[in-house]
Amino acid sequence: MRATVIHGAFDVRLEERPDPKIDGPGDAVVKVVASCICGSDLWPYRGENPVKQPRPIGHEFVGIVEEIGSEVRTVKPGDFVIAPFVVSDGTCPHCLAGYQTACQNLVGYGSAKADGGQGEYVKLPYADGTLVATPEVPDDSLVPSLLTLSDVMGTGWHAARSARVKAGDTVVVVGDGAVGLCGVLAASRMGAERVVALSRHEPRQKLAKEFGATDIISERGDAARDAVLELTDGVGADAVLECVGTEQSMTTAFEVARAGATVGFVGVPHGVEVPIGTMFGRNVGLSGGAAPCRAYLPQLMADVLAGEIDPGKVFDSELPLADVAEGYAAMHERRAIKVLLRP
């Protein structure tokens, strides 16, 4: 099969890899219908996270089950399935508590136990604990939105949930990537009265408004803080979604939070220091982390299938898998919000 392999900074290649096969009773082999490039994939692509040796990459995909192990019960060959961005057993205490990204037997895609997601097929263990099947094979028009449930929509939802967004709130979303935009959608759906998106890019601003943003702030740093405070009569936001993971984004998130607010963070932290003094002095909380998308998947899938949300709009570029290197370049250069790949 063909699969994407990252060799180092700015070096991703589509290569021939061994065809997957069932190794254990809980395994499944999925034929990929669509996959995509994640903002977190850009960290190793840009060299921020060192690549010590070539490895398969990609952790978001949907597809058709080809084969299952003898003990798999929840999916069967022919099912259309959504794969959350990590493999979880579904039975450990953390999984049962709804935090599958902290599974005691966690498996990452692109490891010895699971293929990378940006390929033609993926073999993974713990099929029952990981994969979620749709009631029937969906129309192709729904594939982009269902694909977002493997990561970005669930992650945006986790940011809003962690920030304790409730009806009537004023919410600020820091970050205008696919996760931030899905955070706007999540906050709006949770009943926020005002959703302020921090974005400097017109296409992303337009989509933020489609997803429910009531206000757009294009400034950054101190200017962004001042703009939010002006909008809120000097009080700040009831909830803040931090969807980037940099020192500047975290600083801004805390600066725009009102006293007693919570910052929900889902951006993978790089060089971030938490302002514990601000947290103590102003009673601002911090909650979040790696989103347990598996926990949110059933409800979000029902919302997509019912036509109540359409998060697939974050895909503004679709490429054949053969052009995966161009997809990475487009996202790195911010020519695309998020790239969908078709094998």
Side-chain angles (χ1 to χ4, degrees):
M1 68 167 183
R2 299 179 304 159
T4 304
V5 176
I6 185 166
H7 286 254
F10 305 103
D11 186 4
V12 292
R13 310 174 195 176
L14 191 63
E15 298 181 353
E16 289 294 330
R17 303 279 296 178
D19 290 337
K21 62 179 182 179
I22 297 295
D23 294 316
D27 292 356
V29 173
V30 178
K31 183 177 182 180
V32 176
V33 169
S35 62
C36 55
I37 300 169
C38 184
S40 63
D41 292 331
L42 297 181
W43 292 110
Y45 179 73
R46 291 168 173 155
E48 298 281 348
N49 294 350
V51 179
K52 297 179 180 178
Q53 61 184 20
R55 61 175 176 83
I57 192 170
H59 53 260
E60 302 161 278
F61 65 95
V62 295
I64 302 293
V65 176
E66 287 265 309
E67 188 179 358
I68 58 173
S70 60
E71 295 180 2
V72 176
R73 298 289 180 265
T74 62
V75 299
K76 63 185 184 301
D79 281 350
F80 183 95
V81 292
I82 305 163
F85 68 85
V86 294
V87 178
S88 54
D89 64 19
T91 61
C92 80
H94 302 324
C95 286
L96 295 176
Y99 290 92
Q100 292 87 346
T101 43
C103 176
Q104 291 177 330
N105 293 297
L106 190 74
V107 173
Y109 294 104
S111 66
K113 294 183 178 181
D115 295 299
Q118 294 165 8
E120 294 178 311
Y121 292 87
V122 176
K123 190 273 288 187
L124 67 151
Y126 306 126
D128 283 342
T130 303
L131 300 175
V132 176
T134 55
E136 57 187 22
V137 176
D139 185 83
D140 192 66
S141 63
L142 291 173
V143 167
S145 283
L146 293 171
L147 178 56
T148 67
L149 307 188
S150 66
D151 189 342
V152 292
M153 185 61 217
T155 298
W157 190 268
H158 187 56
R161 179 178 178 270
S162 297
R164 297 172 174 82
V165 174
K166 63 185 185 300
D169 276 354
T170 291
V171 179
V172 170
V173 181
V174 183
D176 65 356
V179 170
L181 292 166
C182 287
V184 169
L185 179 57
S188 178
R189 187 158 176 77
M190 290 180 183
E193 182 175 319
R194 196 171 199 178
V195 181
V196 183
L198 272 55
S199 174
R200 299 192 298 179
H201 301 267
E202 186 175 350
R204 299 171 190 236
Q205 293 173 349
K206 180 180 178 182
L207 186 53
K209 289 180 178 179
E210 286 187 48
F211 280 176
T214 56
D215 301 270
I216 302 292
I217 289 176
S218 58
E219 292 85 358
R220 283 191 178 181
D222 292 348
R225 175 202 61 205
D226 294 344
V228 170
L229 292 177
E230 184 177 350
L231 276 177
T232 58
D233 297 325
V235 175
D238 300 305
V240 184
L241 281 54
E242 193 286 304
C243 303
V244 183
T246 64
E247 178 72 14
Q248 182 186 68
S249 62
M250 187 67 80
T251 297
T252 298
F254 276 96
E255 288 182 340
V256 302
R258 67 160 173 80
T262 299
V263 174
F265 79 110
V266 293
V268 181
H270 284 72
V272 174
E273 292 186 9
V274 175
I276 195 71
T278 297
M279 295 172 68
F280 183 82
R282 301 182 62 242
N283 283 272
V284 175
L286 180 66
S287 181
C293 291
R294 178 62 182 81
Y296 306 131
L297 226 165
Q299 182 58 58
L300 293 177
M301 180 179 73
D303 291 345
V304 167
L305 294 178
E308 295 179 3
I309 58 173
D310 187 10
K313 290 179 179 179
V314 297
F315 293 109
D316 57 346
S317 176
E318 181 174 323
L319 296 173
L321 185 60
D323 293 338
V324 63
E326 163 57 21
Y328 271 83
M331 284 186 62
H332 166 65
E333 296 165 6
R334 295 180 73 83
R335 290 184 281 112
I337 299 172
K338 192 166 179 68
V339 175
L340 186 147
L341 300 169
R342 296 274 191 173

